[in-house]
Amino acid sequence: MNDFVKKRLFHGFITMHILHHAKDQPIYGSWMVSELAHHGYQLSYGTLYPILHGLEKEGLLISSASTVEGKVRKYYALTPLGEEALSELRIYLKELSDEVS
Ligand SMILES: [Zn+2]
């Protein structure tokens, strides 16, 4: 696939995955990287963290720190605003998927 196209689309796909999984339970960086690896995305922290931080800044995610095995881990949970965005995205996604597939 063309790199330019891939980069632009994957940002969106990754954003959707993050919102979707954060709805079930708070997620954290390394969990998200391995979850996305199952879906075939090779994601670096350098790509993931700016997306997480951006989503938090926009009020779609909220983070909280908790200590796991002596290490501070930052968890991200979906906010009500994030839920709204996710439901809206689902409509666009379904519409797009119906058209292109
Ligand atoms: Zn996923």
Side-chain angles (χ1 to χ4, degrees), residues 15-31:
T15 302
M16 256 184 262
H17 268 285
I18 291 171
L19 295 175
H20 168 71
H21 288 292
K23 185 181 162 69
D24 294 337
Q25 57 186 351
I27 53 123
Y28 55 92
S30 59
W31 184 85

Side-chain angles (χ1 to χ4, degrees), residues 34-95:
S34 60
E35 157 62 25
L36 286 167
H38 290 303
H39 292 295
Y41 296 86
Q42 236 112 56
L43 187 63
S44 72
Y45 291 106
T47 302
L48 178 65
Y49 282 120
I51 298 175
L52 288 174
H53 296 158
L55 290 170
E56 182 172 29
K57 203 173 153 220
E58 293 297 318
L60 306 184
L61 294 177
I62 186 162
S63 70
S64 58
S66 114
T67 306
V68 180
E69 290 160 13
K71 273 185 166 177
V72 178
R73 184 180 281 169
K74 213 168 172 189
Y75 285 92
Y76 293 87
L78 200 64
T79 65
L81 199 64
E83 280 198 40
E84 231 174 85
L86 182 61
S87 326
E88 208 179 319
L89 280 173
R90 282 208 180 103
I91 297 167
Y92 282 104
L93 184 63
K94 183 168 187 325
E95 206 278 327

